[in-house]
Amino acid sequence: MGCAAIAQRSMVPAMLTMPEYNVVAVASRTTEKAEKFAQQFGCEAITGYENLLARPDISAIYIPLPTGLHHTWIIQSLKAGKHVLAEKSIASDYASAEEMVALAKKNRLVLMEDFMFQYHSQHKFIFDLINKGEIGEVRVFTANFGFPPLPAGNFRYDEAMGGGALLDAAGYTVRAVHFVLGDGFTVKAANLKNDPKTGTNIYGSAFLDNGNGISAHVSFGFDHYYQGNYQIWGTRGKITADRAFTPKPDFSPLVVLEQQNQRHEYQLSPDNHFVGALREFHRTITTGTPEKHYHDVLLQSKTLDDIRRLSSM
Ligand SMILES: NC(=O)c1ccc[n+]([C@@H]2O[C@H](COP(=O)([O-])OP(=O)(O)OC[C@H]3O[C@@H](n4cnc5c(N)ncnc54)[C@H](OP(=O)(O)O)[C@@H]3O)[C@@H](O)[C@H]2O)c1
Protein backbone atom coordinates (compact mmCIF):
# COMPACT_ATOMS: atom_id res chain seq x y z
CA MET A 1 0.00 0.00 0.00
CA GLY A 2 1.90 3.05 -1.32
CA CYS A 3 4.97 3.13 -3.58
CA ALA A 4 7.33 3.89 -0.70
CA ALA A 5 11.09 3.98 -1.10
CA ILE A 6 11.52 1.20 1.49
CA ALA A 7 9.06 -1.02 -0.43
CA GLN A 8 10.83 -0.45 -3.72
CA ARG A 9 14.36 -0.70 -2.40
CA SER A 10 14.07 -3.60 0.03
CA MET A 11 10.74 -5.17 0.95
CA VAL A 12 9.21 -6.05 -2.41
CA PRO A 13 12.54 -7.35 -3.82
CA ALA A 14 12.74 -9.57 -0.70
CA MET A 15 9.14 -10.83 -1.16
CA LEU A 16 9.92 -11.79 -4.75
CA THR A 17 12.67 -14.17 -3.59
CA MET A 18 10.33 -16.01 -1.21
CA PRO A 19 8.06 -18.92 -2.18
CA GLU A 20 5.78 -17.99 0.76
CA TYR A 21 4.75 -14.78 -1.02
CA ASN A 22 2.86 -13.94 -4.17
CA VAL A 23 2.99 -10.20 -4.80
CA VAL A 24 -0.46 -9.59 -6.28
CA ALA A 25 -0.73 -5.82 -6.57
CA VAL A 26 0.56 -2.42 -5.55
CA ALA A 27 -1.74 0.50 -4.79
CA SER A 28 -0.84 4.15 -5.08
CA ARG A 29 -2.69 7.43 -4.80
CA THR A 30 -1.74 8.02 -8.44
CA THR A 31 -2.17 5.69 -11.41
CA GLU A 32 1.13 6.63 -13.02
CA LYS A 33 3.16 5.78 -9.91
CA ALA A 34 1.31 2.48 -9.40
CA GLU A 35 1.89 1.46 -13.01
CA LYS A 36 5.60 2.24 -12.92
CA PHE A 37 6.06 0.29 -9.68
CA ALA A 38 3.91 -2.62 -10.89
CA GLN A 39 5.88 -2.84 -14.12
CA GLN A 40 9.16 -3.01 -12.20
CA PHE A 41 7.95 -5.90 -10.01
CA GLY A 42 5.59 -7.74 -12.34
CA CYS A 43 2.39 -7.20 -10.37
CA GLU A 44 -0.91 -5.42 -10.88
CA ALA A 45 -1.31 -1.63 -10.50
CA ILE A 46 -4.24 -0.32 -8.47
CA THR A 47 -5.25 3.32 -8.06
CA GLY A 48 -6.51 4.15 -4.57
CA TYR A 49 -5.72 2.21 -1.41
CA GLU A 50 -9.39 1.34 -0.83
CA ASN A 51 -9.45 -0.58 -4.13
CA LEU A 52 -6.61 -2.78 -2.89
CA LEU A 53 -8.63 -3.65 0.22
CA ALA A 54 -11.65 -4.59 -1.90
CA ARG A 55 -9.71 -7.43 -3.52
CA PRO A 56 -10.80 -10.85 -2.18
CA ASP A 57 -7.65 -12.56 -3.53
CA ILE A 58 -5.32 -10.60 -1.24
CA SER A 59 -4.76 -11.99 2.26
CA ALA A 60 -2.12 -9.64 3.64
CA ILE A 61 -1.16 -6.01 3.20
CA TYR A 62 2.27 -4.44 3.66
CA ILE A 63 1.83 -0.80 4.78
CA PRO A 64 4.86 1.50 4.39
CA LEU A 65 2.88 4.76 4.54
CA PRO A 66 4.01 7.71 6.70
CA THR A 67 3.30 6.94 10.37
CA GLY A 68 0.56 9.58 10.59
CA LEU A 69 -1.52 7.59 8.06
CA HIS A 70 -1.01 4.17 9.67
CA HIS A 71 -4.01 4.30 11.99
CA THR A 72 -6.55 5.03 9.23
CA TRP A 73 -5.23 2.43 6.81
CA ILE A 74 -4.43 -0.27 9.33
CA ILE A 75 -7.98 -0.03 10.72
CA GLN A 76 -9.40 -0.17 7.17
CA SER A 77 -7.20 -3.16 6.29
CA LEU A 78 -8.20 -5.06 9.44
CA LYS A 79 -11.87 -4.29 8.78
CA ALA A 80 -11.39 -5.73 5.30
CA GLY A 81 -10.08 -8.96 6.87
CA LYS A 82 -6.42 -8.57 5.86
CA HIS A 83 -3.36 -9.43 7.94
CA VAL A 84 -1.12 -6.37 8.29
CA LEU A 85 2.63 -5.86 8.32
CA ALA A 86 3.13 -2.13 8.95
CA GLU A 87 6.30 -0.10 8.95
CA LYS A 88 7.64 1.43 12.12
CA SER A 89 6.43 3.34 13.92
CA ILE A 90 3.19 1.45 13.60
CA ALA A 91 1.30 3.87 15.88
CA SER A 92 1.54 7.59 16.63
CA ASP A 93 0.57 6.93 20.25
CA TYR A 94 -0.51 4.23 22.69
CA ALA A 95 -4.25 4.93 22.38
CA SER A 96 -4.19 4.26 18.64
CA ALA A 97 -2.02 1.15 19.15
CA GLU A 98 -4.60 -0.19 21.61
CA GLU A 99 -7.40 0.37 19.12
CA MET A 100 -5.54 -1.37 16.29
CA VAL A 101 -4.54 -4.34 18.44
CA ALA A 102 -8.09 -4.74 19.78
CA LEU A 103 -9.48 -4.88 16.24
CA ALA A 104 -6.79 -7.31 15.07
CA LYS A 105 -7.60 -9.56 18.04
CA LYS A 106 -11.35 -9.35 17.42
CA ASN A 107 -10.94 -10.21 13.73
CA ARG A 108 -8.27 -12.87 14.44
CA LEU A 109 -5.69 -11.18 12.24
CA VAL A 110 -1.95 -10.66 12.52
CA LEU A 111 -0.72 -7.13 13.17
CA MET A 112 3.06 -6.86 13.14
CA GLU A 113 5.41 -3.86 13.32
CA ASP A 114 8.25 -4.11 10.82
CA PHE A 115 11.39 -3.77 12.94
CA MET A 116 13.32 -6.10 10.68
CA PHE A 117 16.69 -5.60 12.39
CA GLN A 118 15.56 -8.19 15.01
CA TYR A 119 15.66 -10.93 12.38
CA HIS A 120 19.33 -10.45 11.48
CA SER A 121 21.50 -13.38 12.58
CA GLN A 122 24.08 -11.09 14.24
CA HIS A 123 21.84 -10.75 17.30
CA LYS A 124 21.62 -14.52 17.79
CA PHE A 125 25.44 -14.56 17.73
CA ILE A 126 25.47 -11.87 20.44
CA PHE A 127 22.85 -13.62 22.59
CA ASP A 128 24.96 -16.79 22.41
CA LEU A 129 28.01 -14.85 23.72
CA ILE A 130 25.92 -13.52 26.63
CA ASN A 131 24.46 -16.97 27.39
CA LYS A 132 27.97 -18.44 27.42
CA GLY A 133 28.84 -15.91 30.15
CA GLU A 134 31.40 -13.99 28.08
CA ILE A 135 30.43 -10.63 29.59
CA GLY A 136 29.24 -11.89 32.98
CA GLU A 137 26.08 -10.26 34.33
CA VAL A 138 24.58 -7.51 32.20
CA ARG A 139 24.58 -4.10 33.90
CA VAL A 140 24.06 -1.44 31.23
CA PHE A 141 22.66 -1.30 27.70
CA THR A 142 23.27 1.63 25.36
CA ALA A 143 21.73 2.11 21.91
CA ASN A 144 22.26 4.92 19.42
CA PHE A 145 20.51 5.60 16.15
CA GLY A 146 20.93 8.88 14.31
CA PHE A 147 21.68 10.22 10.87
CA PRO A 148 22.35 13.52 9.06
CA PRO A 149 19.47 15.86 8.12
CA LEU A 150 16.99 14.58 5.52
CA PRO A 151 15.89 16.68 2.53
CA ALA A 152 13.36 19.39 3.47
CA GLY A 153 9.84 18.24 2.61
CA ASN A 154 10.39 14.68 3.88
CA PHE A 155 7.30 13.58 5.85
CA ARG A 156 9.58 12.94 8.85
CA TYR A 157 9.57 16.74 9.47
CA ASP A 158 5.78 16.94 9.32
CA GLU A 159 4.05 16.50 12.68
CA ALA A 160 0.68 15.72 11.05
CA MET A 161 2.29 12.83 9.12
CA GLY A 162 3.68 11.31 12.31
CA GLY A 163 7.06 12.97 11.83
CA GLY A 164 9.81 13.44 14.39
CA ALA A 165 12.83 11.51 15.58
CA LEU A 166 10.90 9.92 18.46
CA LEU A 167 8.57 7.96 16.16
CA ASP A 168 11.42 7.22 13.76
CA ALA A 169 15.01 6.77 14.96
CA ALA A 170 14.10 6.40 18.65
CA GLY A 171 11.85 3.49 17.80
CA TYR A 172 14.82 1.28 16.90
CA THR A 173 16.67 2.03 20.12
CA VAL A 174 13.58 1.40 22.29
CA ARG A 175 12.77 -1.84 20.49
CA ALA A 176 16.42 -2.87 20.97
CA VAL A 177 16.12 -2.43 24.76
CA HIS A 178 13.17 -4.83 24.91
CA PHE A 179 14.56 -7.17 22.26
CA VAL A 180 17.92 -7.63 23.99
CA LEU A 181 16.93 -7.31 27.66
CA GLY A 182 13.23 -8.18 27.76
CA ASP A 183 10.22 -6.46 29.31
CA GLY A 184 10.00 -4.61 32.58
CA PHE A 185 11.76 -1.35 31.68
CA THR A 186 10.36 1.98 32.82
CA VAL A 187 11.36 5.34 31.38
CA LYS A 188 12.89 7.39 34.22
CA ALA A 189 14.07 10.46 32.33
CA ALA A 190 13.86 11.75 28.77
CA ASN A 191 14.75 14.72 26.67
CA LEU A 192 13.44 15.73 23.21
CA LYS A 193 14.74 18.67 21.21
CA ASN A 194 12.39 20.39 18.76
CA ASP A 195 13.42 21.92 15.46
CA PRO A 196 12.20 25.55 15.60
CA LYS A 197 11.62 25.59 11.82
CA THR A 198 9.33 22.57 11.54
CA GLY A 199 8.14 22.11 15.12
CA THR A 200 8.99 18.38 15.02
CA ASN A 201 11.36 16.79 17.50
CA ILE A 202 14.72 16.11 15.84
CA TYR A 203 16.80 14.52 18.56
CA GLY A 204 16.73 13.27 22.09
CA SER A 205 17.63 10.61 24.59
CA ALA A 206 16.10 8.61 27.40
CA PHE A 207 17.12 6.65 30.46
CA LEU A 208 15.27 3.43 31.34
CA ASP A 209 15.55 1.08 34.28
CA ASN A 210 14.15 -2.39 34.97
CA GLY A 211 14.09 -2.00 38.76
CA ASN A 212 16.38 -4.99 38.97
CA GLY A 213 19.81 -3.45 38.52
CA ILE A 214 19.87 -3.05 34.74
CA SER A 215 19.65 0.34 33.08
CA ALA A 216 19.46 1.43 29.46
CA HIS A 217 20.35 4.66 27.76
CA VAL A 218 19.04 5.41 24.26
CA SER A 219 19.99 8.32 21.99
CA PHE A 220 18.47 9.18 18.63
CA GLY A 221 18.22 11.97 16.08
CA PHE A 222 17.92 13.44 12.60
CA ASP A 223 20.82 15.85 12.98
CA HIS A 224 23.79 13.63 13.62
CA TYR A 225 26.88 11.91 12.35
CA TYR A 226 25.56 8.42 11.42
CA GLN A 227 25.39 5.93 14.28
CA GLY A 228 23.33 2.74 14.43
CA ASN A 229 24.80 0.62 17.20
CA TYR A 230 24.32 -0.88 20.64
CA GLN A 231 26.61 -1.89 23.49
CA ILE A 232 25.95 -4.39 26.27
CA TRP A 233 28.24 -3.84 29.26
CA GLY A 234 28.51 -6.53 31.87
CA THR A 235 30.55 -7.45 34.94
CA ARG A 236 33.25 -9.24 32.88
CA GLY A 237 33.12 -7.69 29.45
CA LYS A 238 31.38 -5.65 26.84
CA ILE A 239 29.82 -6.41 23.44
CA THR A 240 29.38 -3.86 20.68
CA ALA A 241 27.17 -4.35 17.62
CA ASP A 242 28.51 -1.75 15.26
CA ARG A 243 25.81 -1.88 12.57
CA ALA A 244 22.86 -3.08 14.61
CA PHE A 245 19.90 -1.54 12.82
CA THR A 246 20.54 -1.07 9.11
CA PRO A 247 22.94 -3.72 7.78
CA LYS A 248 22.30 -4.15 4.06
CA PRO A 249 21.81 -7.75 2.81
CA ASP A 250 25.39 -7.91 1.46
CA PHE A 251 27.02 -6.31 4.52
CA SER A 252 29.19 -8.26 6.98
CA PRO A 253 28.50 -6.75 10.41
CA LEU A 254 31.24 -6.34 12.98
CA VAL A 255 30.66 -7.53 16.54
CA VAL A 256 33.34 -6.74 19.14
CA LEU A 257 33.76 -8.54 22.45
CA GLU A 258 35.98 -6.79 24.98
CA GLN A 259 37.27 -8.55 28.09
CA GLN A 260 40.15 -7.93 30.49
CA ASN A 261 43.25 -7.48 28.25
CA GLN A 262 41.43 -9.02 25.29
CA ARG A 263 39.55 -7.79 22.29
CA HIS A 264 37.84 -10.18 19.87
CA GLU A 265 36.52 -8.90 16.55
CA TYR A 266 33.95 -11.04 14.76
CA GLN A 267 33.21 -10.17 11.14
CA LEU A 268 29.90 -12.01 10.67
CA SER A 269 28.24 -13.31 7.53
CA PRO A 270 25.83 -11.06 5.68
CA ASP A 271 22.15 -11.72 6.27
CA ASN A 272 18.94 -10.37 4.76
CA HIS A 273 16.79 -9.13 7.63
CA PHE A 274 14.03 -8.07 5.22
CA VAL A 275 13.58 -11.74 4.32
CA GLY A 276 13.81 -12.60 8.02
CA ALA A 277 11.00 -10.21 8.97
CA LEU A 278 8.81 -11.44 6.11
CA ARG A 279 9.43 -15.05 7.14
CA GLU A 280 8.30 -14.15 10.68
CA PHE A 281 5.14 -12.45 9.37
CA HIS A 282 4.28 -15.51 7.28
CA ARG A 283 5.08 -17.88 10.18
CA THR A 284 2.85 -15.87 12.51
CA ILE A 285 -0.06 -16.04 10.06
CA THR A 286 0.29 -19.75 9.35
CA THR A 287 0.73 -20.76 12.99
CA GLY A 288 -2.01 -18.40 14.21
CA THR A 289 0.21 -16.98 16.99
CA PRO A 290 -0.08 -13.18 16.83
CA GLU A 291 0.06 -12.53 20.62
CA LYS A 292 3.79 -11.75 20.75
CA HIS A 293 3.38 -9.10 18.05
CA TYR A 294 0.31 -7.55 19.73
CA HIS A 295 2.37 -7.37 22.92
CA ASP A 296 5.37 -5.79 21.16
CA VAL A 297 3.20 -3.17 19.43
CA LEU A 298 1.66 -2.10 22.75
CA LEU A 299 4.93 -2.14 24.71
CA GLN A 300 6.69 -0.12 22.02
CA SER A 301 4.05 2.60 21.73
CA LYS A 302 3.67 2.82 25.54
CA THR A 303 7.43 3.36 25.92
CA LEU A 304 7.53 6.01 23.18
CA ASP A 305 4.54 7.77 24.81
CA ASP A 306 6.40 7.72 28.15
CA ILE A 307 9.50 9.29 26.57
CA ARG A 308 7.34 12.06 25.08
CA ARG A 309 5.56 12.66 28.39
CA LEU A 310 8.73 12.70 30.52
CA SER A 311 10.59 14.96 28.10
CA SER A 312 7.98 17.68 28.60
CA MET A 313 8.24 17.60 32.41
N1 LIG B 1 11.98 -0.59 8.72
C1 LIG B 1 12.87 0.13 8.01
O1 LIG B 1 14.05 -0.22 7.89
C2 LIG B 1 12.42 1.38 7.35
C3 LIG B 1 13.28 2.10 6.54
C4 LIG B 1 12.77 3.24 5.93
C5 LIG B 1 11.46 3.62 6.18
N2 LIG B 1 10.69 2.91 7.00
C6 LIG B 1 9.29 3.30 7.30
O2 LIG B 1 8.53 3.08 6.13
C7 LIG B 1 7.56 4.09 5.98
C8 LIG B 1 7.79 4.78 4.66
O3 LIG B 1 9.07 5.38 4.63
P1 LIG B 1 9.76 5.78 3.23
O4 LIG B 1 10.98 6.56 3.53
O5 LIG B 1 9.90 4.57 2.42
O6 LIG B 1 8.64 6.76 2.69
P2 LIG B 1 8.31 7.36 1.25
O7 LIG B 1 9.29 6.90 0.22
O8 LIG B 1 8.13 8.83 1.44
O9 LIG B 1 6.94 6.66 0.92
C9 LIG B 1 5.76 6.83 1.63
C10 LIG B 1 4.62 6.49 0.69
O10 LIG B 1 3.42 6.77 1.35
C11 LIG B 1 2.43 7.18 0.41
N3 LIG B 1 1.76 8.39 0.90
C12 LIG B 1 0.42 8.51 1.08
N4 LIG B 1 0.10 9.71 1.52
C13 LIG B 1 1.26 10.41 1.65
C14 LIG B 1 1.57 11.73 2.04
N5 LIG B 1 0.61 12.59 2.41
N6 LIG B 1 2.85 12.12 2.05
C15 LIG B 1 3.84 11.26 1.70
N7 LIG B 1 3.60 9.98 1.29
C16 LIG B 1 2.32 9.56 1.27
C17 LIG B 1 3.14 7.45 -0.90
O11 LIG B 1 2.76 6.41 -1.79
P3 LIG B 1 1.84 6.68 -3.10
O12 LIG B 1 2.15 8.07 -3.57
O13 LIG B 1 2.27 5.64 -4.03
O14 LIG B 1 0.42 6.54 -2.67
C18 LIG B 1 4.61 7.34 -0.58
O15 LIG B 1 5.34 6.74 -1.61
C19 LIG B 1 7.67 4.96 7.22
O16 LIG B 1 6.76 4.52 8.21
C20 LIG B 1 9.10 4.74 7.68
O17 LIG B 1 9.26 4.95 9.06
C21 LIG B 1 11.12 1.79 7.56
Side-chain angles (χ1 to χ4, degrees), residues 1-7 9 27-30 33-34 49 62-67 69-70 87-89 114-116 154-156 161 167-168 172 245-246 273-274:
M1 183 180 282
C3 300
I6 183 71
R9 191 172 63 229
S28 172
R29 294 167 298 172
T30 52
K33 235 170 136 181
Y49 304 151
Y62 167 57
I63 303 188
L65 302 177
T67 293
L69 299 174
H70 285 175
E87 273 307 331
K88 41 57 56 177
S89 275
D114 199 18
F115 275 118
M116 59 279 273
N154 189 294
F155 73 81
R156 289 167 180 81
M161 283 291 122
L167 291 176
D168 192 280
Y172 292 82
F245 303 123
T246 57
H273 62 190
F274 303 101

Side-chain angles (χ1 to χ4, degrees), residues 30-78:
T30 52
T31 305
E32 197 190 345
K33 235 170 136 181
E35 280 175 354
K36 205 166 157 213
F37 193 104
Q39 202 172 23
Q40 183 179 354
F41 296 109
C43 62
E44 201 180 314
I46 292 180
T47 309
Y49 304 151
E50 63 285 355
N51 295 321
L52 184 72
L53 299 182
R55 289 280 297 253
D57 57 338
I58 291 175
S59 54
I61 310 276
Y62 167 57
I63 303 188
L65 302 177
T67 293
L69 299 174
H70 285 175
H71 180 262
T72 300
W73 289 106
I74 290 173
I75 294 285
Q76 292 306 317
S77 303
L78 295 170

Side-chain angles (χ1 to χ4, degrees), residues 88-138:
K88 41 57 56 177
S89 275
I90 195 166
S92 298
D93 55 35
Y94 183 66
S96 83
E98 267 189 314
E99 195 187 333
M100 294 188 280
V101 167
L103 184 59
K105 250 184 209 171
K106 180 168 162 260
N107 291 358
R108 296 168 188 268
L109 294 164
V110 172
L111 177 64
M112 174 174 151
E113 185 167 23
D114 199 18
F115 275 118
M116 59 279 273
F117 79 88
Q118 301 169 102
Y119 305 97
H120 195 289
S121 50
Q122 66 173 322
H123 307 291
K124 160 93 173 56
F125 180 85
I126 289 168
F127 298 161
D128 285 348
L129 289 178
I130 297 172
N131 292 335
K132 277 193 271 174
E134 298 287 5
I135 61 167
E137 280 182 41
V138 174

